[in-house]
Amino acid sequence: MSKLRHLKSTSSKPGFAKVLDVDAAFLTRCLYIKKPETQYHQFSIAKKSGGTRVINAPSEELKSLQKSLSKLLLDCIDEINATKYPNSQWSKPKLRKNGETDYAAEVLKIKIPTAETKQPSLSHGFVRERSIITNAMMHVGMKHVLNIDLKDFFDSFNFGRVRGFFIRNANFQLDPHVATVIAQIACYDNKLPQGGPCSPVITNLITHSLDIRLASLARKYKCTYTRYADDMTFSTRRADFPAQIMRQSSNEYLAGKRLRREIESAGFAINSNKTRVQLKNSRQEVTGLVVNRKPNTKKEYWRLARAKCNHLFKIGRFTVAKNGNNVEGNLNELEGQLNFIDQVDHYNRMRQKAPSIPEYASSKIGKNTKNLLTGREKTFSQFLYYRLFYGNDKPTVLCEGKTDNVYLKSAISELNKYYPLLVDVKDEEYDLSIRFVRYSKRTRFLLEIFGGADYLRGFIDNFEKNVKLYEAIKPKNPVIVFLDNDEGPQQIVKLLSTERFQKKIEIIPSKLNKKNDIRKSHFIHVVKNLYVVFTPLTHEGKETDIEYFFNDKARLIKHSNGKCYNTVKNRDAKKDLSKDAFATHIIKENKKSIDFEGLKPLLNSIVNVINHYEKIK
């Protein structure tokens, strides 16, 4: 049964809890024992335009419940859109494929000229596969761009309005008891709070009818309309902006009668202080992005981020101006800025019908990508390299693949009392004190790392050259390349055996031969803060992989498909459970009952590396 039909068919709190995929007792505790009004804390954040915005943030428990509601409603919206737009890319992601490359799959088309493949593109805030970038894209290359801000947007949605929507709306028509529970989960102080995970999704649902009416008004006067939360935008290629929508009188903008009537009848008011029409010969902005020729960040935004990076790479820190004073900058904030810039650049590259650099888009992209990077991508690459591998605030571990990450994280989780150096335990909760690198298409393109021994060989080979940019700074924590001790990393063994590396490496224990006993080592200090760790060989000197260290009981646990990973002696990779399924569905899902004692030598190696670097750094 679809989520929407299941939701519409339920009339009880236990039934609604089941649709939400939460325990009924958990729902009762949140709503009727603790009560939502006691589960918020309030704080203020500065607005870019001046003043402050009050945020009411829910407790972790209530936040979890609101996230479940948000996910349910987004699933329902997807079902509604699939029914209304059955031939759109939104409903059929396979339509996004383009030949042998997969770049088209990453960018949902925004402007669709034909009714047959038309898809929803009015609201872009807090909507799946929509963003401020897609919102800005709708208004690129226009002669006039009008921005309207709605006053006290979230405060306009009270308990009764939320409850009434889910009872009366044709797509939902929920049982009144269920609609009441939804409003109880979502509302605080008789309104949708800014800071609640489900608040934006509900505002989009309630405001959708207004979006349709304003889009109709926009079409009537040859304009394009979109909304991002409380930020509405109209744009046109006409020589003059239609006065029926907005006109300027002296020093103020006056909304046309129908626009004002539609907004006011929907229960909103225009914030006249933020209303503006931007001409083509000036910088046009939509939701913070420049839209004159393409969606783009402001030049000064990029220049400031680049300047911060320059200081960071030279001295290991940077400053920012706050309240007239220079204070130490925050790496998380800088990464957020650079990541945002990269998302915009990435979007612009991917939406091209014929990408300027085919290798960029190909799913078969090679390892030598540094010469393909733009200036901004190069800076972002250098920042990521610094943050992960040189200015890393905790030891960094690179494994051959994601399954190794799962094994080691699960082992640390269950053995954390034995490894205080690897975890930070507080109130029976713990955070990892080491970082495992997650591979993605972007790490492959920007950093030339993607897991697998071949990529890691290149990482080791080029490490010293890549960190020269930061040589005035001393790294505080090690970088550990963690490898299976089988035929896979043979090229890495050969690399470490070359004359260039033999002059640099330190092998532990030191009594081992640096050239011939690399695989027998406990760990290898390669250069600077870079280490290599191999899984220990068997007592007979035979090869091992990380799965070897799980006992037969774990290896013989059956998956729902009837397969198991099998014992070391009987394993058949073609017939038995795959590594990915073993890691995800056996080890991770059953970690509370798995015996991780055999993985202690692997965790000991990581601890020994951390202690070794602490002594020599």
Side-chain angles (χ1 to χ4, degrees):
M1 184 185 292
S2 76
K3 291 287 184 70
L4 182 57
R5 275 187 292 162
H6 196 176
L7 178 61
K8 292 172 75 170
S9 66
T10 191
S11 59
S12 66
K13 294 183 183 70
F16 178 61
K18 190 173 182 180
V19 183
L20 267 184
D21 198 23
V22 301
D23 187 70
F26 171 70
L27 178 65
T28 300
R29 185 171 70 251
C30 271
L31 294 187
Y32 307 111
I33 298 176
K34 288 190 173 181
K35 298 184 179 180
E37 58 265 28
T38 67
Q39 298 183 67
Y40 284 88
H41 69 276
Q42 193 175 90
F43 61 93
S44 300
I45 59 173
K47 292 182 181 180
K48 290 182 179 179
S49 56
T52 58
R53 176 177 285 111
V54 176
I55 303 295
N56 289 296
S59 67
E60 287 302 315
E61 207 168 58
L62 181 58
K63 186 177 181 181
S64 170
L65 185 59
Q66 291 179 345
K67 281 184 176 179
S68 296
L69 176 58
S70 175
K71 183 179 182 302
L72 172 63
L73 295 177
L74 287 171
D75 288 341
C76 291
I77 291 169
D78 284 349
E79 290 178 24
I80 293 166
N81 286 331
T83 302
K84 289 184 177 179
Y85 310 98
N87 297 312
S88 67
Q89 285 181 324
W90 189 295
S91 304
K92 297 181 178 179
K94 288 183 180 179
L95 292 176
R96 303 183 213 173
K97 292 291 182 183
N98 187 350
E100 294 182 357
T101 62
D102 60 3
Y103 65 89
E106 297 194 20
V107 178
L108 190 71
K109 289 182 180 178
I110 306 303
K111 297 182 180 181
I112 303 292
T114 63
E116 185 179 353
T117 56
K118 185 179 173 68
Q119 57 197 33
S121 56
L122 298 179
S123 175
H124 292 254
F126 312 98
V127 177
R128 286 172 178 164
E129 301 198 65
R130 291 289 188 257
S131 65
I132 64 170
I133 303 174
T134 60
N135 187 54
M137 185 64 209
M138 293 291 291
H139 305 283
V140 167
M142 299 293 191
K143 288 188 176 180
H144 303 274
V145 175
L146 165 67
N147 290 323
I148 298 173
D149 187 79
L150 298 179
K151 189 183 295 182
D152 300 325
F153 181 66
F154 283 91
D155 291 357
S156 303
F157 301 89
N158 61 27
F159 186 97
R161 189 176 185 183
V162 173
R163 179 180 180 274
F165 169 82
F166 286 105
I167 294 172
R168 293 188 294 270
N169 181 263
N171 290 315
F172 287 91
Q173 295 182 326
L174 303 186
D175 183 278
H177 294 96
V178 173
T180 300
V181 174
I182 289 176
Q184 287 174 329
I185 294 171
C187 293
Y188 169 65
D189 195 22
N190 195 32
K191 59 191 175 186
L192 287 175
Q194 289 196 60
C198 58
S199 295
V201 182
I202 295 174
T203 63
N204 282 338
L205 283 167
I206 297 176
T207 313
H208 182 62
S209 58
L210 173 62
D211 290 334
I212 293 173
R213 295 195 297 274
L214 294 184
S216 175
L217 176 64
R219 280 194 300 273
K220 182 176 180 180
Y221 297 107
K222 294 183 170 58
C223 291
T224 297
Y225 163 81
T226 65
R227 180 179 59 82
Y228 190 96
D230 59 351
D231 193 343
M232 294 178 164
T233 305
F234 291 82
S235 63
T236 183
R237 288 191 171 91
R238 288 176 52 170
D240 298 305
F241 196 85
Q244 296 90 336
I245 294 178
M246 187 69 68
R247 62 186 176 86
Q248 190 170 10
S249 176
S250 300
N251 294 324
E252 64 177 344
Y253 288 102
L254 300 176
K257 288 183 180 179
R258 186 177 165 190
L259 174 63
R260 188 174 61 253
R261 184 172 67 247
E262 294 287 12
I263 290 176
E264 290 177 354
S265 65
F268 303 108
I270 296 174
N271 186 347
S272 57
N273 294 329
K274 292 186 177 180
T275 301
R276 56 179 178 158
V277 175
Q278 303 163 93
L279 306 179
K280 189 175 182 179
N281 57 3
S282 63
R283 186 166 76 180
Q284 296 171 322
E285 295 178 27
V286 174
T287 46
L289 291 174
V290 179
V291 295
N292 294 70
R293 295 182 180 178
K294 62 181 180 181
N296 205 355
T297 52
K298 301 173 190 176
K299 288 182 179 179
E300 56 268 30
Y301 186 84
W302 157 242
R303 286 170 184 160
L304 184 60
R306 183 178 60 187
K308 292 176 184 177
C309 287
N310 289 339
H311 283 283
L312 179 67
F313 301 158
K314 288 178 181 177
I315 61 174
R317 62 184 185 277
F318 62 93
T319 60
V320 294
K322 283 190 178 179
N323 301 321
N325 298 313
N326 282 338
V327 298
E328 187 162 349
N330 184 293
L331 274 179
N332 291 331
E333 290 179 3
L334 178 55
E335 183 170 357
Q337 291 172 334
L338 292 169
N339 192 54
F340 173 61
I341 293 167
D342 184 64
Q343 284 178 357
V344 176
D345 291 346
H346 183 63
Y347 180 90
N348 283 323
R349 279 210 192 192
M350 295 304 237
R351 72 186 178 87
Q352 297 176 61
K353 290 182 180 178
S356 54
I357 302 175
E359 295 90 343
Y360 179 88
S362 174
S363 59
K364 299 176 182 177
I365 192 168
K367 293 188 292 296
N368 301 316
T369 56
K370 290 215 166 184
N371 59 337
L372 303 179
L373 302 181
T374 65
R376 300 205 314 194
E377 286 171 335
K378 186 176 180 181
T379 298
F380 189 34
S381 170
Q382 291 167 341
F383 173 85
L384 291 176
Y385 210 96
Y386 173 87
R387 181 126 210 226
L388 289 172
F389 309 126
Y390 206 76
N392 44 319
D393 57 358
K394 56 176 70 173
T396 299
V397 179
L398 296 96
C399 295
E400 290 183 73
K402 62 181 181 180
T403 57
D404 294 349
N405 286 2
V406 172
Y407 299 141
L408 294 174
K409 284 182 180 179
S410 298
I412 293 170
S413 170
E414 298 310 304
L415 301 173
N416 67 78
K417 65 181 179 180
Y418 301 107
Y419 294 98
L421 201 60
L422 303 183
V423 292
D424 180 20
V425 181
K426 290 179 181 176
D427 300 324
E428 298 184 2
E429 296 288 327
Y430 80 92
D431 291 319
L432 284 174
S433 297
I434 58 177
R435 173 187 283 127
F436 288 89
V437 176
R438 294 179 61 187
Y439 304 120
S440 67
K441 287 183 180 179
R442 291 307 278 161
T443 64
R444 179 168 57 176
F445 185 74
L446 293 169
L447 298 174
E448 296 181 350
I449 57 171
F450 197 64
D454 199 22
Y455 277 97
L456 294 176
R457 182 200 180 281
F459 176 79
I460 295 167
D461 195 17
N462 295 312
F463 185 81
E464 192 169 22
K465 179 178 67 176
N466 287 335
V467 299
K468 274 189 175 180
L469 180 65
Y470 331 109
E471 60 186 358
I473 307 156
K474 187 151 188 168
K476 295 179 181 178
N477 291 292
V479 174
I480 306 166
V481 178
F482 197 98
L483 302 165
D484 288 336
N485 209 339
D486 55 17
E487 71 278 359
Q490 184 59 35
Q491 292 299 317
I492 293 176
V493 174
K494 288 182 178 179
L495 176 69
L496 297 176
S497 301
T498 60
E499 186 178 350
R500 176 164 69 98
F501 277 93
Q502 285 289 301
K503 292 178 180 178
K504 301 172 183 176
I505 68 171
E506 177 188 4
I507 191 166
I508 306 297
S510 57
K511 64 181 180 181
L512 295 176
N513 184 283
K514 287 171 64 174
K515 190 174 183 69
N516 301 322
D517 294 334
I518 286 174
R519 287 183 178 272
K520 297 178 183 178
S521 65
H522 295 170
F523 61 85
I524 302 155
H525 180 215
V526 182
V527 64
K528 295 188 179 293
N529 61 326
L530 178 63
Y531 288 78
V532 169
V533 170
F534 289 96
T535 57
L537 296 171
T538 67
H539 294 303
E540 297 80 21
K542 292 182 179 180
E543 295 179 345
T544 62
D545 55 20
I546 196 167
E547 289 85 3
Y548 172 85
F549 297 89
F550 287 101
N551 62 22
D552 287 349
K553 184 179 178 181
R555 295 172 71 105
L556 291 172
I557 295 175
K558 287 190 176 181
H559 186 269
S560 57
N561 62 14
K563 294 181 180 181
C564 66
Y565 195 72
N566 220 331
T567 62
V568 175
K569 183 179 178 180
N570 297 325
R571 175 160 171 77
D572 184 339
K574 292 181 180 178
K575 295 180 180 179
D576 294 325
L577 200 62
S578 68
K579 283 190 174 187
D580 187 59
F582 180 61
T584 306
H585 299 294
I586 303 299
I587 301 302
K588 188 176 181 180
E589 289 184 5
N590 300 284
K591 67 180 183 180
K592 294 294 181 184
S593 59
I594 296 288
D595 182 0
F596 289 99
E597 192 71 20
L599 274 71
K600 279 186 174 181
L602 312 185
L603 302 185
N604 292 341
S605 295
I606 295 174
V607 170
N608 291 336
V609 167
I610 295 170
N611 288 330
H612 181 270
Y613 188 69
E614 191 64 29
K615 290 177 183 177
I616 69 166
K617 70 178 180 182

